[in-house]
Amino acid sequence: MVSPRRGVRNGTHPPAPNEQTVERCRVYVRGHRLTEEFASYADALAEVRRRGEGFVWLGMLQPTEQHMQEVAEAFGLHELIVEDAVAAHQRPKVERYDDQVFFVVRSVRYQEHEHVSDAKEIISTGEVQMIFAKDFIITIRHGHHTRIAGLRRRIEQDPEQCALGPSAVAWQIADMLVDEYLSIANEISGDVDELENEVFTPNSRFDIEQIYMLKREILEMRHSIDPLASALQALIQNHKDVLPKAIRSYFRDVLDHEIIAADRVAGYDERLSALIDAGVAKITLQQNSDMRKISALVGMAAVPTMIAGIYGMNFAYMPELQLRYGYFVVLGIMASTVLAMWWLLRKNHWL
């Protein structure tokens, strides 16, 4: 464990990460944000520890390993946290290192489109990592589309809740991201309904590849949100000492919403699987019907072809070759045979 005092000894501080990496560094005391400006996040943390109350909220965007090492020096982060924070594409999880909790939630964004045929790469995922202890929370976003719009305003409008500490900020972030899951699940419902209408409309033509593409998008969302339920359960049950009772209740509400969203998305995945089966069956029936029609037409043409082939043989003593009206008789027989076959095939729904 890196000493939390390192980096502030003798009045020196580690160099702050560049402005594009650090998005915010704020100090909250008794639920209110201090207007005082600090030279660095290390100074902000030193002020909180001098007061013996409040917490620092440091927000970062895609930090490099060097940036995280600097932050680790100031906040005393465990080296394994630094390693995970730099590496993106983490599964939703909760890990505990002494008094520090590392909490990962995947973000999901939905790309608006006019028609289901435009549903290509409509789901994009990112990652929000949270490292919190009793006097600080560090939020790390991976992916520019993971912007947490309006979160600061939400937190500062409720000082009583903000006074509960860093875990309250972690709950607000998780709650906002999971609410987005529910919103996206409602949007996907319209796409699935549209595909079902296309598949089950009689005599309709549809592109089964579009079903596969939407299923791929839903699978990507499932991989991002399904593991969060077990992570939230572990956070609520196994880390009660770092979560106030009120915050645990709020996290249970987030867990309920996550389960609802995951169930809905899983239901859409199952509906699409059934839709693929139905689509394949419908295509197979259409192909069988087409082949049957082709076979019927070939059969109708086979009889006149056979008769013409027989009378086209070059033999001098074939019967009826000298009949005055033999040509018309043969044509009549051909026409009658074709009409009889057409009626019979039509009666049996081959044509």
Side-chain angles (χ1 to χ4, degrees), residues 28-32 54-55 155 158-168 244 247:
Y28 293 87
V29 177
R30 298 176 186 175
H32 297 278
F55 65 92
I155 291 174
D158 192 348
E160 183 178 347
Q161 199 173 76
C162 184
L164 295 175
S167 59
I247 295 299

Side-chain angles (χ1 to χ4, degrees), residues 25-38 44 47-48 51 53 55 156:
C25 183
R26 301 187 178 96
V27 174
Y28 293 87
V29 177
R30 298 176 186 175
H32 297 278
R33 180 164 69 95
L34 297 185
T35 57
E36 181 181 352
E37 296 291 335
F38 297 95
E47 174 64 18
V48 167
R51 289 171 174 263
E53 61 178 349
F55 65 92
E156 295 179 1

